[in-house]
């Protein structure tokens, strides 16, 4: 059995490409890297890779991570600028025994030395979003950051190897140097090929408070089904945050175990995700939280059409 699961509809083309690799017996690392690169390269997704939304200084700082579930090798970059594919840099770092998590300039130097592609990641469209948001924040007391779309994936290949990866531009208008959960092992992602993996999207500052990807894998290691593990972990963290802090930020999680069974849970409305398993085509679902139980419904054609339309619509400044 092989399979891939990923946060948000935007990952669908990526995991379809990844599935082509898995079908031919390719390895999970190659599949996930190619899948995440696809999302990073698509200019209309505004919180991953090229076209990602900038920080408050109007600079695109990117976070990404890669974890190997066989060896527990980890690699991550945070607040890296001007490189096309942070996931590839993170994967490359996972081959290092030490110095495998790098930030800012150090990450850029490493990527430069290894010959990774440089690119100005600030698109004209992202600049327009920035200008618009600056205006809105002034006029309407909007929180600068609303809506989020980090890509997080878990992949199982036919040999039983599992990997997990993330890539994001983080929160729109984040402070320069801010690091979210996505490059933090255990929070944004975790994977153990003997059990399964999980990956997160949402408000990094709150996701980190529960080490939530690790928690889901831990639950799965006790024999809990991925769906139940996601539900238990998300509901528990959501409740704790509300009780202790009065509110909980967005928490959305996807998971897959080493049999290709998967699960998803969220505390927001309209969370979408994409999944592909051996014997099936890529499917896109929307998750509804009904009293703490989750119902996954296949996205309708109308929803899919509208998704692309809104992503690509001109920005009215
Ligand atoms: C972060 N978790 O940097 C990321 C943001 C995110 O979808 O998920 N966006 O906090």
């Amino acid at each position: 059995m092989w399979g891939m699961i990923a946060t948000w509809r935007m990952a669908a083309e990526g995991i379809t490409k990844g599935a082509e690799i898995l079908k031919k017996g390719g390895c999970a690392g190659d599949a996930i890297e190619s899948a995440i690169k696809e999302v990073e390269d698509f200019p209309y997704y505004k919180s991953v890779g090229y076209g990602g939304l900038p920080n408050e200084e109007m600079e695109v700082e990117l976070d990404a991570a890669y974890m190997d579930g066989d060896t527990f090798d980890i690699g991550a970059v945070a607040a890296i600028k001007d490189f096309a594919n942070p996931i590839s840099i993170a994967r490359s770092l996972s081959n290092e025994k030490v110095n495998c998590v790098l930030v800012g300039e150090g990450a850029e130097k490493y990527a430069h030395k290894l010959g990774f592609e440089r690119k100005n990641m600030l698109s004209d469209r992202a600049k327009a979003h920035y200008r618009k948001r600056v205006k809105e924040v002034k006029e309407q007391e909007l929180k600068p950051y609303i809506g989020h779309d980090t890509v997080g994936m878990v992949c199982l290949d036919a040999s039983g190897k599992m990997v997990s990866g993330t890539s994001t531009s983080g929160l729109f208008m984040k402070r320069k140097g801010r690091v979210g959960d996505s490059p933090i092992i255990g929070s944004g992602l975790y994977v153990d090929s003997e059990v399964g993996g999980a990956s997160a999207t949402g408000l990094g500052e709150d996701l980190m408070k529960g080490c939530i990807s690790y928690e889901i894998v831990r639950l799965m290691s006790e024999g809990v089904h991925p769906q139940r593990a996601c539900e238990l972990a998300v509901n528990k963290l959501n409740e704790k945050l509300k009780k202790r802090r009065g509110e909980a930020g967005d928490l959305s999680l996807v998971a897959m175990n080493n049999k290709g069974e998967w699960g998803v849970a969220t505390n927001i409305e309209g969370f979408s995700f994409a999944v592909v398993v051996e014997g099936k085509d890529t499917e896109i679902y929307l998750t509804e939280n009904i009293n703490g139980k989750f119902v996954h419904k296949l996205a309708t054609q109308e929803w899919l059409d509208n998704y692309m339309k809104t992503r690509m619509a001109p920005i009215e400044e």
Side-chain angles (χ1 to χ4, degrees):
M1 175 55 87
W2 53 259
M4 287 181 99
I5 188 160
T7 56
W8 305 109
R9 179 266 168 259
M10 67 175 169
E13 287 76 13
I15 64 166
T16 303
K17 231 174 138 183
E20 290 306 315
I21 296 175
L22 297 172
K23 251 179 230 167
K24 293 184 197 128
C27 79
D30 291 344
I32 212 163
E33 183 181 350
S34 118
I36 294 181
K37 275 173 86 170
E38 183 82 10
V39 189
E40 289 176 337
D41 290 342
F42 190 70
Y44 289 95
Y45 296 144
K46 51 187 189 334
S47 30
V48 180
Y50 182 69
L53 292 176
N55 63 16
E56 62 180 7
E57 316 277 340
M58 209 163 115
E59 300 167 332
V60 180
E61 290 188 328
L62 301 166
D63 297 344
Y66 175 90
M67 181 169 184
D68 181 313
D70 279 0
T71 57
F72 292 144
D73 284 331
I74 53 168
V77 290
I80 189 172
K81 282 194 290 195
D82 298 330
F83 280 91
N85 295 112
I87 187 60
S88 301
I89 304 167
R91 185 181 181 197
S92 165
L93 279 165
S94 75
N95 297 317
E96 308 282 333
K97 279 214 170 58
V98 290
N99 300 311
C100 49
V101 179
L102 297 178
V103 303
E105 213 188 312
E108 286 153 19
K109 283 215 166 122
Y110 170 86
H112 177 69
K113 275 194 198 144
L114 269 87
F116 284 99
E117 188 196 341
R118 275 194 185 273
K119 186 168 172 179
N120 177 359
M121 301 299 273
L122 182 64
S123 67
D124 288 342
R125 196 174 167 83
K127 281 187 208 161
H129 273 296
Y130 178 88
R131 288 191 298 265
K132 185 172 180 217
R133 187 54 61 96
V134 169
K135 223 163 83 190
E136 284 169 352
V137 170
K138 273 197 200 126
E139 284 164 7
Q140 314 164 21
E141 269 190 48
L142 253 188
K143 279 197 196 152
Y145 175 71
I146 298 173
H148 58 88
D149 284 8
T150 289
V151 70
M153 296 189 183
V154 180
C155 178
L156 163 71
D157 72 23
S159 78
K161 181 188 179 79
M162 296 195 77
V163 301
S164 180
T166 57
S167 183
T168 187
S169 56
L171 300 186
F172 185 19
M173 295 287 194
K174 65 187 180 183
R175 190 164 297 164
K176 182 177 172 61
R178 179 237 183 218
V179 177
D181 61 302
S182 306
I184 306 292
I185 305 301
S187 286
L189 73 168
Y190 195 81
V191 64
D192 176 344
S193 302
E194 288 180 357
V195 180
S199 188
T201 176
L203 182 65
E205 285 75 358
D206 276 0
L207 289 159
M208 286 192 263
K209 293 181 172 81
C211 300
I212 192 152
S213 291
Y214 179 78
E215 174 62 8
I216 289 171
V217 176
R218 192 194 63 77
L219 285 162
M220 291 194 294
S221 77
E222 290 178 349
V224 179
H225 186 279
Q227 181 54 42
R228 185 76 187 129
C230 287
E231 266 169 37
L232 285 169
V234 169
N235 290 340
K236 186 168 133 200
L237 182 58
N238 186 45
E239 279 154 28
K240 277 201 181 201
L241 290 170
K242 283 191 174 152
K243 188 168 146 215
R244 310 244 190 121
R245 304 172 59 81
E247 59 180 354
D250 294 358
L251 315 168
S252 301
L253 270 295
V254 298
M256 182 173 275
N257 66 15
N258 64 354
K259 293 186 247 169
E261 297 165 335
W262 52 266
V264 172
T266 180
N267 67 350
I268 64 164
E269 303 263 311
F271 177 60
S272 64
F273 65 94
V275 61
V276 61
V277 288
E278 190 174 349
K280 282 193 181 177
D281 288 333
T282 300
E283 291 177 319
I284 298 168
Y285 288 91
L286 283 152
T287 291
E288 252 179 77
N289 178 345
I290 302 172
N291 300 326
K293 287 273 165 214
F294 295 88
V295 183
H296 312 307
K297 291 191 181 150
L298 279 173
T300 60
Q301 195 53 49
E302 190 191 348
W303 185 90
L304 292 169
D305 293 345
N306 191 42
Y307 180 93
M308 265 318 182
K309 233 197 288 169
T310 51
R311 289 301 174 291
M312 299 177 80
I315 302 155
E316 287 169 27
E317 289 185 58

